[in-house]
Amino acid sequence: MDNFTQHKKFFAKSTALIILLGVLGFFLLPIIALLSSAFGSSLHSLQHLWQTVFTDYLVNSLSLVVGTTALSLCFALPCAFLVSRYHFIGKTLLQWLLCLPLAIPAYLSAYLYTDFLDYPGIVQQSLRTWFDWQTKQDYWFPSIRSLGGACFILALSLYPYIFLLVRMALMEQGDNLQQSAKLLGASRWRVFYKITFALIRPAIAVGCALVAMETLGDFGTVAFFAIPSLTTAIYDTWLGFGDLQAAAQISLFMLGLLVLFISIERYARRQQRYYQRTGQRPLQTQQLNGLGWGLLLFSIILIILAFFIPLFQLSYWSIIYFEQAWTADFWQYSQNSLLVSGLAMIICVCLALLMHFWARLTPVPLAKLAVRFSALGYAIPGTVLAIGLLIPFTFADHQLNQWLKWLDLPMLGLVFSGSLFALVSAYVIRFSAMALGSLETSLNQIPPSLEMAGRMLGYKSWGIWRKIHLPLMHKGIFTALLLVFIESMKELNASLLLRPFNFDTLATHVFTFTSDEQLERAALPALILILVGIIPVLILTRALLQSGKKHNK
């Protein structure tokens, strides 16, 4: 009986370990496929691109990253300083509103501001009327369809990443260090540079890294402005020339740039040390003065430009063009989005529960390592991820059909690369980090003593998970389901490359009309995507604001 019990336990552990290794392999599959394809094939196509247009792609991408990051800093830092250093009526509401531009896809703002600021737009028309200008040669107006225009649009959508992190870092600072510096005769500028700025540098670095990653992986904005970048190079190489290996090599190059950005950020802070500051008096806020009123005006203008103008314009178009948008195609695309997002949501949360359960109840380093590696997918741009999945799935389709042909059976076609399997897999790999993070927060709030009590009552691991973990994690599970579902609804880059034939989601449907400069006809689904996208932004903002309040207590 003892031998049987030991064999049973060994079999259970071996099975769980095999499943865990399979899950880990699934999440690492895109990176492995990119490495294999890039180094296992000829570099002739990439060399040809490098000799012709690759330099333009690279320079434009780096310029886009630098310009967007710099503008995002210019937008975020004044707003973060305002809400952390001053108190005024409506401060809480302003903090929430400053985060809402994250819900606006950048390519929608690109179309709207092009419509406003281009030569036939309302802004230049008004200027020509007011100043009696006749032609474009009579005046100069910055072109929105440019690299600078793309940086401006992306910064309007991405600055909240820096704002949220810097605001929390400013709220964590105590008053003791600043008062000590003032007693030693330091000026206000020296106090800001030597203390305040030094302490928020990690938050600025992390925020800038997030903005850089999102900018480098953006496709909708640069495609609409016709700016050749590394992301558009991947699409052109694969969809235009059918060269999957060259697309994989460019994707790997992009992934290397992301690793380089993160490494530079960490290397710059390698000698800095930050410690928890307990028992300090919170930094005292002050009434609005001349600078404060200027910052408040700047923040209000920023919110109007980044959120309210796109929202109101889309709402207006949704009413005017309601009949053109409310069609059978709209319902079909909505059902498609609900289907793939729902599948991705369920699979993500189930896999996250499995990995956290194994890591919590089994002290195996591999389990914790699997959780960390499974969260890497969010750092991979959707375009790179799509190419990384196309390579193994296309290979699997060819092998499967050859095997069926050898058995004299009917071939099944593109089972993996041409079906919903590829699209849902991309969503799962990319957004599992959200499920893992949400469930980890809930799981860490469960004390180990409850598990010990369950074991004393005779429950096995499965019983502890079912009776203790699941009931106490219901809020985290619901949040994880919601976050993955909504982010999957909005995903564009991977959807454009991996969607099956004649299959559109709301995001690809809206982008198609945006590319054809007919967004008015797709304003209703675009508005739905924005309203749905507000939900995870509010969840994220609420969590960070509550964290800031706890640090101030």
Side-chain angles (χ1 to χ4, degrees):
M1 186 67 178
D2 291 338
N3 289 335
F4 176 76
T5 304
Q6 290 179 358
H7 284 300
K8 185 178 179 181
K9 289 183 178 179
F10 176 78
F11 177 76
K13 289 184 178 180
S14 300
T15 303
L17 184 60
I18 292 172
I19 294 174
L20 192 64
L21 288 174
V23 172
L24 180 59
F26 171 73
F27 282 105
L28 294 178
L29 181 62
I31 299 176
I32 296 173
L34 288 174
L35 290 170
S36 175
S37 178
F39 293 108
S41 59
S42 173
L43 298 177
H44 175 73
S45 299
L46 188 62
Q47 290 173 352
H48 175 70
L49 286 172
W50 189 272
Q51 293 170 358
T52 54
V53 294
F54 193 82
T55 304
D56 294 334
Y57 289 144
L58 179 59
V59 170
N60 287 336
S61 295
L62 294 178
S63 301
L64 195 67
V65 167
V66 172
T68 302
T69 304
L71 279 176
S72 298
L73 278 172
C74 294
F75 293 160
L77 293 182
C79 300
F81 190 80
L82 170 70
V83 298
S84 61
R85 291 294 187 263
Y86 296 94
H87 59 87
F88 50 90
I89 299 175
K91 174 180 173 179
T92 302
L93 176 62
L94 183 67
Q95 292 179 97
W96 288 87
L97 291 177
L98 283 168
C99 300
L100 292 183
L102 279 176
I104 306 286
Y107 62 90
L108 293 181
S109 297
Y111 178 89
L112 294 170
Y113 275 100
T114 300
D115 188 61
F116 292 149
L117 301 177
D118 221 357
Y119 182 79
I122 187 173
V123 173
Q124 293 200 49
Q125 281 188 8
S126 301
L127 289 175
R128 288 194 296 270
T129 302
W130 294 339
F131 297 100
D132 197 25
W133 290 328
Q134 302 299 322
T135 64
K136 193 173 184 179
Q137 286 69 30
D138 295 337
Y139 65 99
W140 176 85
F141 195 87
S143 174
I144 188 66
R145 294 178 182 267
S146 62
L147 186 64
C151 293
F152 173 74
I153 295 298
L154 287 169
L156 285 180
S157 297
L158 299 177
Y159 81 86
Y161 285 120
I162 301 176
F163 164 75
L164 283 169
L165 294 171
V166 172
R167 175 209 165 271
M168 189 166 63
L170 287 170
M171 297 290 286
E172 290 176 359
Q173 293 183 15
D175 197 37
N176 305 41
L177 290 176
Q178 297 201 16
Q179 294 298 332
S180 300
K182 291 177 181 178
L183 287 173
L184 292 174
S187 63
R188 294 182 63 180
W189 169 250
R190 188 170 180 81
V191 169
F192 173 79
Y193 180 73
K194 290 293 186 180
I195 297 177
T196 304
F197 181 75
L199 291 175
I200 65 174
R201 274 188 64 189
I204 292 176
V206 174
C208 289
L210 288 172
V211 171
M213 288 190 293
E214 292 290 336
T215 303
L216 190 62
D218 177 79
F219 173 75
T221 306
V222 293
F224 181 76
F225 284 155
I227 298 173
S229 67
L230 290 175
T231 311
T232 59
I234 294 174
Y235 278 87
D236 294 340
T237 305
W238 167 232
L239 296 180
F241 302 105
D243 193 341
L244 188 57
Q245 282 70 34
Q249 291 161 359
I250 298 173
S251 300
L252 191 62
F253 185 84
M254 275 187 63
L255 201 58
L257 281 181
L258 290 176
V259 174
L260 179 63
F261 289 153
I262 297 173
S263 301
I264 291 174
E265 176 264 323
R266 291 186 177 180
Y267 180 79
R269 299 187 290 113
R270 67 192 184 281
Q271 294 181 344
Q272 296 180 0
R273 297 293 182 269
Y274 299 87
Y275 301 95
Q276 182 68 30
R277 299 169 295 280
T278 58
Q280 294 197 63
R281 185 179 64 180
L283 195 65
Q284 299 298 311
T285 57
Q286 55 184 316
Q287 290 283 354
L288 290 175
N289 51 23
L291 177 62
W293 282 109
L295 294 176
L296 179 60
L297 179 62
F298 174 83
S299 301
I300 293 174
I301 294 174
L302 181 62
I303 295 170
I304 293 173
L305 292 175
F307 182 73
F308 283 111
I309 287 180
L311 182 68
F312 289 157
Q313 184 62 53
L314 287 174
S315 301
Y316 173 74
W317 282 342
S318 297
I319 297 173
I320 299 299
Y321 296 93
F322 181 80
E323 293 184 359
Q324 288 91 329
W326 194 266
T327 61
D329 288 341
F330 167 71
W331 283 106
Q332 183 61 53
Y333 301 148
S334 301
Q335 292 174 14
N336 293 344
S337 293
L338 291 174
L339 173 62
V340 293
S341 301
L343 289 173
M345 168 187 73
I346 295 171
I347 296 172
C348 274
V349 173
C350 289
L351 290 178
L353 284 170
L354 172 67
M355 288 185 287
H356 276 308
F357 170 67
W358 179 259
R360 176 74 175 238
L361 298 181
T362 307
V364 178
L366 179 62
K368 295 182 179 180
L369 190 65
V371 173
R372 292 182 180 179
F373 276 109
S374 300
L376 291 178
Y378 192 72
I380 303 175
T383 310
V384 176
L385 179 62
I387 296 297
L389 288 177
L390 275 174
I391 296 169
F393 289 169
T394 303
F395 176 78
D397 282 330
H398 287 314
Q399 295 300 314
L400 175 62
N401 285 291
Q402 287 181 5
W403 182 67
L404 291 174
K405 184 179 180 180
W406 181 73
L407 294 175
D408 201 19
L409 294 174
M411 291 186 291
L412 298 178
L414 302 178
V415 177
F416 299 106
S417 61
S419 66
L420 292 181
F421 179 80
L423 189 57
V424 173
S425 298
Y427 289 172
V428 170
I429 294 174
R430 181 153 170 75
F431 302 122
S432 283
M434 296 184 172
L436 289 167
S438 179
L439 295 180
E440 183 179 13
T441 302
S442 297
L443 193 60
N444 288 339
Q445 296 176 358
I446 301 176
S449 58
L450 291 179
E451 298 166 8
M452 298 177 186
R455 293 189 184 278
M456 292 179 64
L457 293 174
Y459 285 103
K460 302 296 183 182
S461 297
W462 168 254
I464 293 174
W465 186 62
R466 183 169 55 88
K467 293 288 188 179
I468 297 176
H469 288 165
L470 281 182
L472 294 177
M473 292 173 63
H474 67 278
K475 290 184 178 179
I477 293 174
F478 174 76
T479 302
L481 290 169
L482 189 64
L483 289 174
V484 174
F485 178 81
I486 292 170
E487 289 300 321
S488 300
M489 288 276 291
K490 295 171 17 182
E491 172 60 29
L492 173 66
N493 293 1
S495 303
L496 288 173
L497 284 175
L498 296 176
R499 56 180 172 166
F501 296 112
N502 297 322
F503 186 93
D504 269 306
T505 63
L506 283 179
T508 59
H509 172 61
V510 171
F511 179 74
T512 300
F513 277 98
T514 304
S515 301
D516 296 336
E517 301 200 9
Q518 297 180 11
L519 181 59
E520 299 87 349
R521 296 176 57 189
L524 180 61
L527 185 63
I528 291 174
L529 287 178
I530 290 175
L531 295 178
V532 167
I534 288 176
I535 298 174
V537 175
L538 294 179
I539 293 174
L540 173 65
T541 305
R542 180 174 178 270
L544 290 177
L545 290 180
Q546 288 181 345
S547 176
K549 290 179 181 179
K550 290 179 181 179
H551 282 293
N552 281 337
K553 289 182 179 179

